[in-house]
Amino acid sequence: MSIDPSKVRNFCIVAHIDHGKSTLADRLLERAGTVALRDMRAQLLDSMDLEQERGITIKSHPVRLDYEASDGQEYVFHLIDTPGHVDFHHEVSRSLAACEGALLVVDAAQGIEAQTLNNLYLALEHDLEILPVLNKIDLPSARPDEVTHEIVDLIGCDESEVVRVSAKTGEGIDELLEAIVRLVPPPKPHRDKPLRAIVFDSVFDAYRGTIAYVRVVDGIIRTGDRIRMMGGGQIHDVMEVGFFRLSQIKTESIEAGQVGYVATGAKSVAAVQMGDTITSDAHPAEEPVLGYVEAKPMVFSGFYPIDTDDYVDLKEALEKLQLNDAALTFEPETSVALGFGFRCGFLGLLHLEIVQERLEREFDLELIATLPNVEYHAVLQDGTEVKVENPSKMPDPSELSSVHEPFVTVSVITPKEYVGGMMTLTIERRGAQTGMEYMDTDRVKVDFEMPLSELVVDYFDKIKSVSRGYASLDYELLGYRESDLVKLDILLNGEPVDALSVIVHRSTSYEWGRDLCRKLKELLPRQMFEVSIQAAIGGRVIARTNVKALRKNVTAKCYGGDVSRKRKLLEKQKEGKRRMKSVGSVEIPQEAFFAVLKVER
Amino acid sequence: MVTSRDWSVYVHVPFCEVRCPYCHFACFVNQDPDFPLRYVRAVERELDFHSGRLDSARIVSLYFGGGTPTALSAPARKELCRWLGEELRPRFAPEAEFTLEANPESLDPRVLDDWLEAGLNRLSIGIQTMHPKVLEFLGRRSTPASNLRALDLACQRVDNVSADLIVASPLDDWTGLLRSIDAITSHPVSHISAYLLEIHADTRFGREVAQGLWQPSPNDQQADLYLRLVQELADRGFHAYELSNFAQPGRESRHNGRYWTRDPYLGLGPSAHSFDGAHRWWNHRDAHRWCESVEAGTLPVEGREHLDRRAVRRERILLGLRRDEGIPEAWVEDRSRLVDDYLRAGLLERVGPRLRATPEGWLLLDEVVLRLCD
């Protein structure tokens, strides 16, 4: 389908979470006439239940809009709604590669936040034209002039270039549409060059296989073409191509400069990796659009079904989720305490939470998820390096030469009165400050380097609480560094509970040990025998406590002939007990595993 | 259908003068002067429904529980005793046990005479405690003095007297408990039922505890009291033949014993349970609903169940371990590792081919049974 390239505008919207990205997208869709009023609902592009509920975007959502501008010309907009959360940086990055411009949306009340900055830098890296948009100007707490100044300071544009809108009321949307026509550069396509199309997302469809969401950079792609993935090397036959309205519209071809989809028939999204470049098998291009970076899991957790009979269901559910989520990894593992489960890898904590929630909600599974951890690199005495994704698999201290862990740079933007509390918290987490600058008279941006492991547990929640919810945070992987780390094991009556092992810095290991023992003492119900709880490092016990034996649990009266009631009670208790995990003769209720995740530090 | 066997009969009398704050049995304070007699006629009629089952059977025990059987109105009592004498007594096995539950304050010589004439030979008195403060806390209307009077009267007229105790209410301590034991054993009482106070959600106590108004006495304290009680009663000649029941030799309750040995029994009256060896069924809990059903000529049964093999096995273990005779070890041979653990921990003991719970094991019986049953 031929469209005059000078009439095409490809852009995405980037923003800090909650700054109104999806609502703004809704408004553009409505104004550009793509959505009939009867189909209109909030956050139209966020199709997953979870996206709607949490108000976050998880997948990329492209859509084509037809817009008649005030110059009387018809324009074709390709809008790509991108995930805002740091976990999904890879997605954002790929979406940006598909565009010429980015709307940088800033909340007029909140001002610039940590993710605004990171997304902006990312957009600049991809050489995009930045269109600053001040959203939520209808809010009583809006500070449009101040925030406009912040934006001007940040990107060095002219004050008049900042478009003021309210996605909620619709104010300013017409001006924004005109600004897009005026300021976002049209693509400079090379129709005649060999095909290159960047895959910025993909979904799995039961009938058409993996469907790649693409931006064609050079050349043309037609139904029936044989294509090759430049990074992954897979060959596919194109079953269908098309573009996006709210649903997919089939066409004969998509050309350089356009955004659309390619149905490949591939049986898994892994065969069409996001970020890869599609080229023609017959006339391949020389260079891919982007350097090919595979999304790598950063955070790991063991997922175990509470009911051991659900193992197969869990496996199937993970396989299904993986069809649409190439970044999710999992492999079977066995725990003495929890039985059979999977070690799953995630891009970050939000990704973990989303997968867990989907497994529980969409697949009706009840899970125990172990304390999230990072991947450690253990160097043995003989120099070999072992990757450790499960703390209980950390080699014995006697075999170890050194342990390396991932570090991240963290930027926190916070009102200045909370800097003190935030610093204290961060230093406790082994963070080292690397920079500090004032965003305006009131707000400060502080940069740190810290181990990812210290961030993944509850750092974000803690930052929110010390700043009364005002601070925002973003982080980026820095690399591996050597740290003085130890594996802390928990033993119940002398038997190690693998699912409770943690890897901690030596300086905080005693505290950890003590707190874990104390927390477990609270959570373990008294049993028929005394239970000793010990925390140990490499066989040396560093903290201990015990749970006294239960002495009484009996129905005193079994009387009047009502035996059925007693027996049914027993049957109910049996059902409850079946869900209990045990190590040796010690029975551990699932709450104990959950709540250990929340040890107060 | 099980016929031509020994049967027990339980009759539930749902009337009480006040509702005790800990009690979750089916009883109510009746305001309708005509209802008690209607109730008695319905009991008589309910038995007729089972005449086929009982014709060739002997009644080896009869038990009137409640509620408060001694609180029946005079006309109702007279009618009930007449019927018992004329209809039921001829079916008694030789030396059948006939027990009546009585509250100390409603035990009157004339009341007792009527029952004795109907064949009564065992009396169970709800003493609960001799501690005035604890009596008050338990919402009992009796006093230490009325308790003593009732014991005196009962022991004069009846040969086989049992006293009920409630142990380990929050105000209870060993001194108070010992005082109650002293008062009871200074009478020729031959049987004592001592129950650890249980808090049930659908009672006043349950609601008060849920609201945090007071707390049940700590489990460890209850355990200490119970263990001392078992020892003390043994020293005084009352052996624990079930975890809450203590008797002088030969004076064990035959009726209650049959519940635990899974012998057949027929329950009459609201909420009464029945068992024929293979099925259990239970009557409507509401007295009026039960009564109307009987009067309409329909079985007043609210629910019934057939016991499959696994249910039978579970019942045998859970009931058997309550008794001092315990169970054959062979019944739990598939749980030998657990059994060894419990033997080592002193919760179970081996007596020949049988396993029985120790007093420490009785205190944890719900846990033990949960793990021993498949």
Side-chain angles (χ1 to χ4, degrees):
Chain A
M1 184 170 154
S2 232
I3 303 167
D4 175 1
S6 71
K7 297 288 183 294
V8 174
R9 299 291 181 272
N10 297 319
F11 63 96
C12 56
I13 310 179
V14 294
H16 189 74
I17 202 155
D18 280 343
H19 280 199
K21 197 159 52 78
S22 296
T23 313
L24 183 62
D26 286 354
R27 211 53 63 219
L28 296 176
L29 258 62
E30 192 184 60
R31 279 302 156 88
T34 303
V35 187
L37 233 39
R38 66 187 156 79
D39 292 332
M40 200 61 209
R41 60 181 163 81
Q43 302 194 12
L44 207 52
L45 295 180
D46 291 340
S47 51
M48 248 187 267
D49 279 355
L50 261 175
E51 292 185 317
Q52 292 266 340
E53 248 169 62
R54 292 194 171 204
I56 52 173
T57 305
I58 300 170
K59 302 284 286 183
S60 298
H61 297 279
V63 66
R64 177 192 284 196
L65 292 78
D66 299 324
Y67 177 64
E68 192 189 323
S70 55
D71 62 10
Q73 304 281 318
E74 283 275 348
Y75 289 85
V76 170
F77 288 179
H78 291 118
L79 159 62
I80 300 171
D81 195 12
T82 59
H85 194 274
V86 53
D87 278 8
F88 303 100
H89 251 150
H90 283 285
E91 271 88 344
V92 179
S93 182
R94 290 185 299 260
S95 301
L96 297 180
C99 302
E100 278 78 35
L103 311 190
L104 179 72
V105 177
V106 180
D107 184 315
Q110 308 281 330
I112 287 167
E113 299 280 10
Q115 285 162 28
T116 317
L117 290 182
N118 266 12
N119 285 322
L120 169 67
Y121 298 144
L122 217 49
L124 290 174
E125 268 175 43
H126 286 276
D127 223 6
L128 300 195
E129 184 67 33
I130 308 295
L131 230 83
V133 179
L134 190 65
N135 191 19
K136 304 197 188 181
I137 54 168
D138 60 306
L139 286 183
S141 57
R143 307 173 285 126
D145 294 338
E146 279 172 60
V147 178
T148 300
H149 281 297
E150 281 180 21
I151 297 173
V152 168
D153 283 351
L154 181 68
I155 61 176
C157 63
D158 196 83
E159 214 171 289
S160 63
E161 290 172 40
V162 178
V163 187
R164 297 186 176 195
V165 304
S166 163
K168 197 170 144 205
T169 64
E171 187 183 348
I173 298 297
D174 292 334
E175 289 79 355
L176 178 58
L177 288 164
E178 290 298 317
I180 292 168
V181 171
R182 208 171 55 244
L183 296 174
V184 175
K188 296 178 199 72
H190 303 281
R191 268 195 65 171
D192 308 325
K193 281 195 180 177
L195 169 66
R196 289 199 307 163
I198 167 111
V199 179
F200 59 85
D201 208 342
S202 59
V203 295
F204 186 77
D205 179 282
Y207 304 103
R208 295 173 295 168
T210 300
I211 297 175
Y213 291 6
V214 302
R215 152 74 193 268
V216 183
V217 177
D218 297 319
I220 182 164
I221 189 165
R222 292 185 186 81
T223 303
D225 286 354
R226 172 156 289 197
I227 53 170
R228 182 195 298 176
M229 307 306 298
M230 290 187 78
Q234 299 91 343
I235 309 279
H236 304 290
D237 289 320
V238 176
M239 292 171 65
E240 182 185 319
V241 296
F243 63 91
F244 302 98
R245 288 299 188 194
L246 280 181
S247 53
Q248 295 169 354
I249 310 290
K250 199 167 154 179
T251 56
E252 277 159 28
S253 64
I254 35 177
E255 295 180 7
Q258 297 177 7
V259 172
Y261 69 88
V262 178
T264 62
K267 289 285 174 284
S268 104
V269 281
V272 189
Q273 287 279 2
M274 293 179 259
D276 206 344
T277 298
I278 292 176
T279 190
S280 156
D281 186 43
H283 309 284
E286 279 171 17
E287 288 287 318
V289 182
L290 277 186
Y292 178 62
V293 187
E294 202 179 341
K296 270 176 67 178
M298 305 256 279
V299 176
F300 298 83
S301 170
F303 279 14
Y304 291 85
I306 285 173
D307 189 335
T308 46
D309 294 348
D310 287 345
Y311 175 81
V312 174
D313 292 344
L314 174 58
K315 179 162 184 272
E316 284 170 5
L318 282 167
E319 281 165 356
K320 271 190 194 145
L321 287 185
Q322 203 181 38
L323 287 178
N324 265 323
D325 184 353
L328 168 69
T329 63
F330 62 92
E331 46 188 271
E333 79 174 4
T334 317
S335 154
V336 179
L338 301 175
F340 293 102
F342 297 92
R343 176 81 7 191
C344 303
F346 306 94
L347 296 172
L349 270 193
L350 180 71
H351 188 208
L352 183 157
E353 277 175 36
I354 287 166
V355 170
Q356 187 178 357
E357 207 169 320
R358 292 187 68 187
L359 288 171
E360 288 172 350
R361 214 196 279 198
E362 294 168 30
F363 297 92
D364 209 18
L365 292 162
E366 286 182 286
L367 299 177
I368 291 177
T370 62
L371 192 69
N373 60 272
V374 300
E375 180 182 281
Y376 297 94
H377 294 173
V379 181
L380 303 182
Q381 297 283 8
D382 65 6
T384 49
E385 190 181 279
V386 184
K387 290 183 176 167
V388 181
E389 291 169 5
N390 177 344
S392 71
K393 301 275 157 57
M394 180 64 83
D396 191 78
S398 63
E399 297 169 37
L400 275 177
S401 153
S402 62
V403 182
H404 301 251
E405 64 176 333
F407 271 67
V408 286
T409 51
V410 183
S411 328
V412 178
I413 294 179
T414 174
K416 63 183 177 204
E417 62 263 43
Y418 305 120
V419 168
M422 196 264 304
M423 300 275 270
T424 311
L425 172 69
T426 308
I427 289 163
E428 275 171 18
R429 299 289 179 100
R430 299 191 279 143
Q433 190 189 329
T434 54
M436 171 135 108
E437 68 182 277
Y438 272 83
M439 306 294 295
D440 52 38
T441 51
D442 185 44
R443 294 189 322 144
V444 185
K445 170 169 167 284
V446 192
D447 296 321
F448 295 98
E449 291 179 6
M450 72 191 279
L452 176 62
S453 63
E454 298 283 350
L455 185 113
V456 294
V457 180
D458 56 358
Y459 181 72
F460 188 55
D461 293 343
K462 285 276 156 49
I463 283 287
K464 280 282 181 197
S465 92
V466 298
S467 68
R468 295 166 184 272
Y470 284 111
S472 64
L473 170 145
D474 205 351
Y475 68 90
E476 210 174 330
L477 187 65
L478 203 56
Y480 273 75
R481 292 181 183 173
E482 183 175 343
S483 287
D484 190 6
L485 298 173
V486 292
K487 178 172 69 138
L488 186 71
D489 291 313
I490 293 293
L491 295 86
L492 296 180
N493 279 354
E495 303 250 11
V497 184
D498 54 4
L500 295 179
S501 291
V502 284
I503 287 168
V504 294
H505 195 259
R506 192 181 300 277
S507 63
T508 54
S509 58
Y510 280 79
E511 254 173 87
W512 260 99
R514 207 186 47 225
D515 292 351
L516 261 172
C517 287
R518 191 185 299 146
K519 192 80 193 168
L520 273 172
K521 186 184 167 115
E522 274 170 42
L523 293 167
L524 274 186
R526 288 171 66 177
Q527 323 234 333
M528 295 164 71
F529 316 96
E530 183 169 288
V531 175
S532 72
I533 304 173
Q534 296 170 315
I537 297 173
R540 195 166 50 87
V541 173
I542 58 160
R544 71 171 78 225
T545 182
N546 64 343
V547 179
K548 285 203 292 181
L550 175 71
R551 291 190 53 208
K552 190 215 133 196
N553 180 14
V554 60
T555 311
K557 226 169 186 173
C558 187
Y559 204 44
D562 187 357
V563 177
S564 303
R565 180 194 173 105
K566 178 79 189 92
R567 200 191 68 245
K568 280 170 191 160
L569 194 67
L570 173 81
E571 278 153 13
K572 214 169 113 188
Q573 289 167 330
K574 276 216 92 67
E575 187 52 37
K577 218 184 85 61
R578 212 163 61 86
R579 297 155 58 93
M580 195 96 93
K581 306 293 180 183
S582 60
V583 168
S585 57
V586 183
E587 292 165 345
I588 311 171
Q590 66 218 35
E591 301 83 63
F593 292 102
F594 287 134
V596 165
L597 312 186
K598 299 192 163 80
V599 167
E600 273 309 308
R601 300 174 62 185
Chain B
M1 184 74 61
V2 183
T3 51
S4 69
R5 275 175 67 178
D6 292 346
W7 277 72
S8 292
V9 176
Y10 173 79
V11 183
H12 189 80
V13 184
F15 308 108
C16 272
E17 279 155 352
V18 292
R19 169 119 220 163
C20 295
Y22 52 85
C23 174
H24 68 298
F25 287 148
C27 70
F28 71 110
V29 179
N30 179 45
Q31 309 286 356
D32 172 2
D34 298 329
F35 188 63
L37 189 56
R38 234 181 100 193
Y39 156 82
V40 167
R41 297 242 154 83
V43 169
E44 297 168 4
R45 187 146 179 216
E46 191 184 3
L47 182 80
D48 289 342
F49 294 159
H50 302 281
S51 55
R53 198 189 298 267
L54 288 182
D55 270 349
S56 53
R58 302 180 312 165
I59 295 173
V60 291
S61 71
L62 172 62
Y63 195 104
F64 277 83
T68 313
T70 43
L72 270 178
S73 67
R77 182 181 72 245
K78 296 272 184 208
E79 166 56 20
L80 183 61
C81 289
R82 177 203 65 77
W83 172 76
L84 285 171
E86 291 173 15
E87 298 288 327
L88 229 50
R89 211 168 168 182
R91 306 182 202 215
F92 279 11
E95 295 181 35
E97 179 189 87
F98 177 173
T99 308
L100 177 73
E101 279 183 354
N103 264 357
E105 68 278 9
S106 59
L107 191 64
D108 181 272
R110 282 168 306 168
V111 172
L112 199 49
D113 283 342
D114 287 345
W115 286 96
L116 282 166
E117 207 166 303
L120 172 98
N121 54 23
R122 187 171 180 273
L123 201 59
S124 170
I125 309 178
I127 298 294
Q128 318 310 9
T129 170
M130 292 301 284
H131 196 300
K133 284 257 157 53
V134 179
L135 280 172
E136 197 179 313
F137 176 79
L138 294 174
R140 302 293 292 181
R141 298 195 310 158
S142 53
T143 60
S146 69
N147 274 348
L148 285 176
R149 273 200 304 278
L151 280 171
D152 287 339
L153 173 66
C155 292
Q156 279 163 25
R157 303 289 183 97
V158 187
D159 176 44
N160 197 354
V161 174
S162 173
D164 273 10
L165 281 179
I166 291 178
V167 179
S169 63
L171 301 171
D172 215 357
D173 60 12
W174 177 243
T175 319
L177 184 54
L178 201 56
R179 219 163 85 191
S180 305
I181 296 171
D182 279 340
I184 289 166
T185 56
S186 64
H187 287 79
V189 164
S190 53
H191 185 281
I192 294 170
S193 297
Y195 301 108
L196 290 168
L197 177 65
E198 283 175 355
I199 308 293
H200 295 275
D202 52 350
T203 60
R204 199 185 88 204
F205 274 6
R207 287 185 290 274
E208 289 174 355
V209 168
Q211 285 167 26
L213 298 181
W214 54 275
Q215 288 187 336
S217 101
N219 270 348
D220 288 355
Q221 207 169 303
Q222 297 195 31
D224 287 337
L225 269 184
Y226 176 81
L227 293 178
R228 289 181 84 165
L229 174 78
V230 173
Q231 185 58 50
E232 183 67 30
L233 288 179
D235 291 349
R236 296 186 186 217
F238 293 81
H239 74 281
Y241 69 99
E242 193 256 6
L243 69 90
S244 300
N245 287 278
F246 306 83
Q248 291 173 346
R251 295 303 189 102
E252 298 85 3
S253 162
R254 256 187 280 160
H255 184 87
N256 287 333
R258 289 170 60 83
Y259 294 144
W260 306 319
T261 47
R262 305 183 69 257
D263 286 309
Y265 51 89
L266 181 65
L268 305 175
S271 83
H273 283 248
S274 303
F275 176 56
D276 67 1
H279 307 84
R280 296 189 178 279
W281 66 95
W282 47 94
N283 285 351
H284 294 300
R285 192 173 161 92
D286 181 83
H288 290 90
R289 174 133 192 233
W290 165 84
C291 195
E292 281 153 21
S293 168
V294 174
E295 286 167 353
T298 54
L299 280 174
V301 172
E302 186 190 272
R304 70 167 63 232
E305 61 173 348
H306 170 75
L307 302 178
D308 59 19
R309 279 176 57 179
R310 176 184 273 194
V312 169
R313 185 181 139 85
R314 286 177 172 173
E315 285 193 2
R316 282 189 170 145
I317 294 171
L318 90 87
L319 293 170
L321 283 174
R322 297 182 70 87
R323 304 168 64 229
D324 67 335
E325 287 184 9
I327 58 172
E329 188 167 350
W331 288 1
V332 288
E333 61 191 357
D334 56 331
R335 292 284 197 276
S336 61
R337 201 180 59 83
L338 272 179
V339 168
D340 287 343
D341 283 351
Y342 297 159
L343 287 167
R344 217 171 312 118
L347 301 175
L348 295 179
E349 60 189 0
R350 222 177 238 137
V351 184
R354 297 179 77 86
L355 282 175
R356 73 172 180 200
T358 62
E360 288 80 4
W362 269 335
L363 277 168
L364 285 172
L365 196 62
D366 286 5
E367 302 278 339
V368 172
V369 164
L370 179 61
R371 289 165 184 80
L372 285 185
C373 286
D374 59 357

